[in-house]
Amino acid sequence: MEKEMCLDVENQVVMSNDLIKGKSNLSLNELKLLRLTIMQVIADDKDLMTYQIKIQDLAKILDITSQSIYRDVMEMCKHLLQEIVYIGDGNPKHKWKMYQWCSTCEYDEGTITIKLHEKLKPHLIQLKQHYTQYMLQDILMLKTVYAVRLYELIREEMKSQKAYADKIVTVSLDVETIRKATDTENKYKKIGMFNQRVIVAAITEINDKSCYYVTYEYIKKSRKITGFKFKIESKNNIYRD
């Protein structure tokens, strides 16, 4: 039985930290559709359910024209059925596990029907610890995959800290973690290019469109840049849980 999607974008997207750090090759609209679907999951659900959303409603949420999404929707559904997410457990000596994102993703008569794959249940249902959450609207305003993924990584690191309104929160991310999450392990090999195309571009967008203002500095080992230290300040003195 299918359920109509809740379209309240102030609801929370909740997933395990390992899934947040997972690597996958998704377009911006595919990524946002998946996050919208994940938002439907309720903490005490026993199983992942099948959801439906009208194409006009999805176009409004994604802030794109209906004509654009009608053109792309079949390819989106096809790719979401084919695309794999690689999930690690934080131990670099362990192999990454591979899961399909969806077991159902189809389009018919103006409606998308989607169900997340059962293998993702441990990363979405009844999470008691090691999870990250944010309001869906926080990423809907972002216009690049790099900005969404860096925002999620920063939120995951912020979760482990007690953030007070008068405090600048500092989090650190290594280059390898960011490359995996942004699917740039084989792109922008030179760190200067990676910094400009991924870090600077994403931070500029986050600062422009989100409730946070972020600055950063390099983390170096000898002369090699191994990571980035981000300083996050709330524009409205509210740190969302």
Side-chain angles (χ1 to χ4, degrees):
M1 181 178 177
E2 295 83 14
K3 289 185 64 176
E4 291 294 321
M5 279 196 184
C6 170
L7 304 180
D8 184 354
V9 298
E10 292 189 355
N11 284 345
Q12 299 282 339
V13 177
V14 185
M15 52 186 146
S16 74
N17 293 344
D18 289 339
L19 185 55
I20 284 278
K21 293 180 178 178
K23 55 180 180 177
S24 195
N25 178 22
L26 298 168
S27 71
L28 181 65
N29 288 339
E30 291 165 355
L31 178 58
K32 290 181 177 180
L33 174 56
L34 279 175
R35 294 328 189 233
L36 172 64
T37 307
I38 290 171
M39 188 191 78
Q40 310 303 313
V41 179
I42 299 172
D44 57 357
D45 279 348
K46 298 295 190 295
D47 293 293
L48 293 171
M49 300 180 187
T50 303
Y51 299 99
Q52 290 188 330
I53 183 170
K54 290 181 173 59
I55 198 72
Q56 297 97 326
D57 291 333
L58 182 60
K60 289 178 183 177
I61 286 177
L62 299 181
D63 192 26
I64 58 179
T65 64
S66 296
Q67 290 84 353
S68 174
I69 201 164
Y70 273 118
R71 182 193 65 217
D72 298 336
V73 65
M74 291 302 294
E75 192 61 32
M76 285 173 58
C77 290
K78 178 182 176 182
H79 192 228
L80 285 174
L81 281 172
Q82 296 172 334
E83 185 57 28
I84 289 170
V85 56
Y86 296 80
I87 303 177
D89 62 2
N91 188 331
K93 295 181 179 180
H94 293 174
K95 291 183 178 180
W96 290 60
K97 295 182 179 180
M98 297 177 289
Y99 304 112
Q100 288 176 271
W101 275 110
C102 299
S103 56
T104 299
C105 192
E106 58 190 37
Y107 173 70
D108 186 41
E109 296 184 352
T111 299
I112 294 176
T113 301
I114 185 169
K115 182 179 181 182
L116 298 166
H117 201 282
E118 288 297 311
K119 291 288 188 179
L120 296 177
K121 278 177 64 173
H123 298 281
L124 299 172
I125 288 181
Q126 300 186 26
L127 300 175
K128 306 299 183 185
Q129 56 184 352
H130 307 305
Y131 66 88
T132 298
Q133 63 185 36
Y134 59 83
M135 285 195 298
L136 181 66
Q137 69 177 8
D138 292 349
I139 65 157
L140 290 179
M141 60 190 79
L142 301 176
K143 300 303 181 183
T144 66
V145 171
Y146 297 158
V148 173
R149 296 298 283 129
L150 188 59
Y151 179 86
E152 290 182 332
L153 291 177
I154 288 174
R155 288 287 299 170
E156 187 267 328
E157 290 295 323
M158 289 175 66
K159 175 75 175 178
S160 64
Q161 298 192 36
K162 183 66 175 178
Y164 296 96
D166 61 348
K167 175 183 174 184
I168 295 176
V169 181
T170 301
V171 303
S172 297
L173 292 166
D174 60 70
V175 171
E176 183 180 6
T177 296
I178 300 173
R179 281 193 178 278
K180 286 176 178 175
T182 55
D183 191 35
T184 53
E185 291 173 289
N186 297 311
K187 297 178 184 177
Y188 318 128
K189 289 291 189 178
K190 293 184 178 180
I191 193 66
M193 182 67 73
F194 174 75
N195 180 49
Q196 286 299 317
R197 294 292 180 87
V198 179
I199 305 299
V200 172
I203 290 300
T204 299
E205 191 173 352
I206 289 170
N207 287 345
D208 184 46
K209 295 182 169 68
S210 82
C211 63
Y212 297 119
Y213 182 75
V214 182
T215 57
Y216 74 96
E217 59 188 51
Y218 299 132
I219 298 173
K220 293 184 178 181
K221 187 174 183 180
S222 297
R223 294 184 177 180
K224 183 180 180 181
I225 295 173
T226 59
F228 300 86
K229 182 183 291 184
F230 299 95
K231 293 183 179 180
I232 303 101
E233 185 176 3
S234 172
K235 293 177 183 177
N236 54 12
N237 291 325
I238 296 175
Y239 287 89
R240 294 173 178 163
D241 293 330

